[in-house]
Amino acid sequence: MAALNVSVVSADQEVWSGEAAMVVARTVEGQIGILPGHEPLLAILAHGEVSVTLAGGEKITANAEDGFLSVQSNTVQVVASRAALA
C-alpha cells in the first residue's frame, strides 16, 4: 500500500515530517480524513488538532491554527501560522 508523505510546518519551523498511513484534520468545512490516493485538495484549517497515523498505528498529534492543508500526489502539507506537537 502507498504511503503519504506528510509535513506539518508553522511560520517559523517544521513541526513534523515523515511517512504516514492517514491524516485527519479540522477544516472550516468540518473534519477531513486523508488516505493514500486522495484526490487533490486545498482546504483552510480551523483551529484544532491534526492527527497523523503512522503505518504501525502510532499517532502523532499537532495543534494547528490559521493555515491550510493541501493534498497532491500522496503528499500532504499542513501549513499553519502556529503549530506545535501536542
Side-chain angles (χ1 to χ4, degrees):
M1 182 172 163
L4 296 168
N5 294 313
V6 181
S7 63
V8 179
V9 298
S10 68
D12 60 348
Q13 68 178 338
E14 181 177 72
V15 176
W16 185 87
S17 69
E19 288 192 349
M22 180 173 66
V23 175
V24 177
R26 181 178 300 212
T27 72
V28 294
E29 296 182 4
Q31 194 168 28
I32 187 167
I34 309 295
L35 295 170
H38 198 285
E39 290 292 316
L41 170 76
L42 182 61
I44 298 171
L45 288 176
H47 179 74
E49 291 185 343
V50 176
S51 177
V52 179
T53 303
L54 305 180
E58 179 185 356
K59 287 192 179 185
I60 295 169
T61 303
N63 292 318
E65 61 182 272
D66 298 330
F68 66 90
L69 173 141
S70 71
V71 180
Q72 178 78 34
S73 301
N74 287 336
T75 299
V76 179
Q77 294 181 322
V78 177
V79 180
S81 63
R82 288 185 291 260
L85 292 178

